[in-house]
Amino acid sequence: MKMRKIACLTPAVAGLMLLTACGQGGGDAGDEASGASGENATAALPNGMTVQEQIEARQKKLENIGGAFKTISDQLKSDSPDVAAIQTAAATVPAEATGMADWFPEGTGPDSGVETEALAIIWQEKEDFLSKISDMQNAAATLNTTAQGGDVAAIGEAFKATGGTCKACHDKFRLDD
Amino acid sequence: MTADKRQLVWDWPVRLVHWSMAILVLLLWWTAEEGIMDWHKRLGLTMLGLLVFRLVWGIAGSWTARFAPMIKGLAKLPAYFAALLKGGHKPSFGHNPMGVLSVFALLTLLGLQVGSGLFAVDVDGLESGPLSTFVSFGTGRDFADYHEFNFDILAVFIGLHILAILSYQFLIKDRLIGPMITGKRPAQDFGETPLPTMAVRPAALFAALLIAIGGVYLVANAG
Ligand code: HEM
């Protein structure tokens, strides 16, 4: 990712060559997806879901977490934050994140044929991945308790701390977009 | 060479805005790559101010800064290009018709870049542009994806822009770089035809500054 950007900007700066190569390298957002039609997609997992169902279900949960996170972020930016809205959203995060350790069974990685930003390294470094999940769940629980207390400054701190645990995992285990 | 009369071709606001934008694009790219998002957003808002200023200056600035003559100049593009191929290049006062294309492409892409940044939301919901409070998380993510994609296009067009300038400098021997720094060219480059005046009107400058600063202030405090 970084290399691609550098490779893209260097010619812009130097004004030389590589322009078309750069254009072709642009927009990798969907490169990893080879369509959801592969036979892997419909293979059944031990938990009864198909691979595709599992991946889509976790993405939906993560979307909800992201949405709740944005609600909190928006309110914290405001001059008069709506504490009730923050409290509802803060309660959503740990609720949605329950059982996250089970969302990534073997076979739901980049080879599954389903569009996913989960990287193969998740299954190579399972220990670390699981510990990052519990870091986030703990931080989210603290955020929720803090939010119910209603002190906006403290909520801001807990929010940043939780956000840091999302980022720590994404930086390593999620395809950078 | 001595005692040559020098003709002003770019007023100082155009030059200042031009080089500030060039430096800011580099800094914006660097701060984004390094994740220094506080500065990315501050510099991004500065870029917004420069863009708004430049758009107003395209209406109220000195003659070579204005869009209307540039658009008229576009009509001459085929003839200009044909002459260029035959080796009969003549320097233009202000943007040549090829340069006009570059101006519009770069300003449009910069506008899209800044505009999408204002609404962009990071995947962790931690970082977001000042207008992102008006859109849903999903929409903000779409803006962020577009923001990333558009930067590649922007980089390609900046590359083309620089490549074109270098070709003029070294192949066609029409030196464009110096005038964008000093503002001036030898008057003899333009023959005897009377040229439009290049006055910077203080009231226009004041209005452009006011609109740019006011606009940035409103956007920064909208959320
Ligand atoms: C011409 C001006 C700008 C340039 C060249 C620029 C460039 C970039 C680049 C290269 C990225 C990294 C994309 C990636 O690799 O994920 C980025 C991300 C970002 N920019 Fe800008 N930007 C500009 C203006 C702005 C403005 C005005 C704002 C808002 C105030 C903004 C907010 C953001 C945000 C929130 C991200 C993170 C999005 C994400 O994490 O996916 N940008 N920008």
Side-chain angles (χ1 to χ4, degrees):
Chain A
M1 184 65 204
K2 204 158 187 165
M3 285 313 294
R4 188 171 62 78
K5 277 286 156 54
I6 291 168
C8 217
L9 205 79
T10 314
V13 174
L16 293 167
M17 301 176 292
L18 278 175
L19 291 168
T20 47
C22 241
Q24 283 155 7
D28 64 340
D31 286 358
E32 80 281 13
S34 46
S37 53
E39 49 195 73
N40 289 341
T42 51
L45 294 162
N47 65 12
M49 284 187 184
T50 68
V51 167
Q52 179 160 2
E53 282 165 355
Q54 174 65 73
I55 291 176
E56 283 171 1
R58 80 181 172 219
Q59 288 171 343
K60 185 83 195 54
K61 293 260 191 192
L62 288 161
E63 276 280 313
N64 293 343
I65 296 175
F69 240 59
K70 180 172 182 297
T71 303
I72 303 175
S73 160
D74 288 353
Q75 292 307 327
L76 289 173
K77 273 190 199 170
S78 150
D79 294 331
S80 49
D82 177 348
V83 176
I86 294 182
Q87 288 170 337
T88 316
T92 310
V93 180
E96 289 285 341
T98 311
M100 183 168 176
D102 303 325
W103 299 352
F104 296 86
E106 296 282 347
T108 62
D111 300 335
S112 64
V114 181
E115 183 165 358
T116 173
E117 284 164 347
L119 295 175
I121 192 179
I122 292 174
W123 294 274
Q124 289 147 18
E125 299 192 22
K126 196 83 197 180
E127 292 282 298
D128 187 30
F129 186 72
L130 293 175
S131 89
K132 286 194 159 53
I133 291 180
S134 48
D135 286 351
M136 187 271 280
Q137 287 169 331
N138 292 336
T142 309
L143 171 62
N144 187 22
T145 343
T146 314
Q148 307 315 322
D151 173 353
V152 174
I155 297 172
E157 289 303 310
F159 175 72
K160 259 197 225 133
T162 312
T165 64
C166 315
K167 187 166 157 34
C169 182
H170 291 160
D171 283 351
K172 180 165 176 187
F173 293 109
R174 177 178 167 273
L175 184 81
D176 187 11
D177 69 359
Chain B
M1 284 299 276
T2 48
D4 263 351
K5 262 186 66 197
R6 312 256 300 154
Q7 165 68 40
L8 184 69
V9 288
W10 306 116
D11 63 27
W12 64 264
V14 164
R15 283 176 279 146
L16 187 64
V17 166
H18 175 269
W19 294 113
S20 306
M21 282 176 163
I23 293 166
L24 273 184
V25 165
L26 283 176
L27 289 176
L28 280 158
W29 165 70
W30 182 73
T31 50
E33 287 302 310
E34 297 297 319
I36 312 170
M37 294 312 290
D38 290 354
W39 277 100
H40 186 76
K41 285 188 260 180
R42 274 180 217 137
L43 296 173
L45 286 170
T46 313
M47 181 66 101
L48 172 68
L50 288 175
L51 259 174
V52 173
F53 178 91
R54 186 62 187 88
L55 294 181
V56 178
W57 207 238
I59 298 163
S62 70
W63 196 84
T64 55
R66 289 196 206 166
F67 299 133
M70 290 188 212
I71 293 169
K72 271 197 216 127
L74 271 184
K76 290 188 222 128
L77 185 63
Y80 175 85
F81 201 63
L84 196 64
L85 289 182
K86 282 208 221 92
H89 174 73
K90 281 220 312 270
S92 307
F93 178 65
H95 293 284
N96 69 47
M98 296 275 273
V100 173
L101 289 181
S102 168
V103 170
F104 288 131
L106 289 170
L107 287 181
T108 305
L109 288 168
L110 276 175
L112 290 169
Q113 188 69 23
V114 168
S116 57
L118 296 176
F119 292 94
V121 178
D122 190 15
V123 69
D124 332 289
L126 273 184
E127 302 292 352
S128 50
L131 299 183
S132 63
T133 46
F134 296 110
V135 300
S136 71
F137 178 72
T139 309
R141 290 298 301 142
D142 291 342
F143 273 108
D145 287 344
Y146 181 76
H147 191 65
E148 183 187 355
F149 169 74
N150 190 66
F151 182 74
D152 290 351
I153 316 254
L154 179 65
V156 168
F157 274 81
I158 293 172
L160 285 173
H161 174 63
I162 296 171
L163 200 63
I165 302 278
L166 290 178
S167 315
Y168 274 88
Q169 189 89 3
F170 296 110
L171 300 180
I172 305 174
K173 307 271 190 248
D174 181 1
R175 297 194 169 73
L176 303 177
I177 302 176
M180 191 44 88
I181 299 169
T182 66
K184 296 184 174 151
R185 285 182 73 133
Q188 70 199 23
D189 283 356
F190 307 115
E192 293 306 310
T193 35
L195 298 170
T197 69
M198 286 293 294
V200 168
R201 291 173 299 155
L205 185 62
F206 183 73
L209 281 174
L210 200 69
I211 296 172
I213 295 170
V216 171
Y217 180 83
L218 285 181
V219 166
N221 294 293

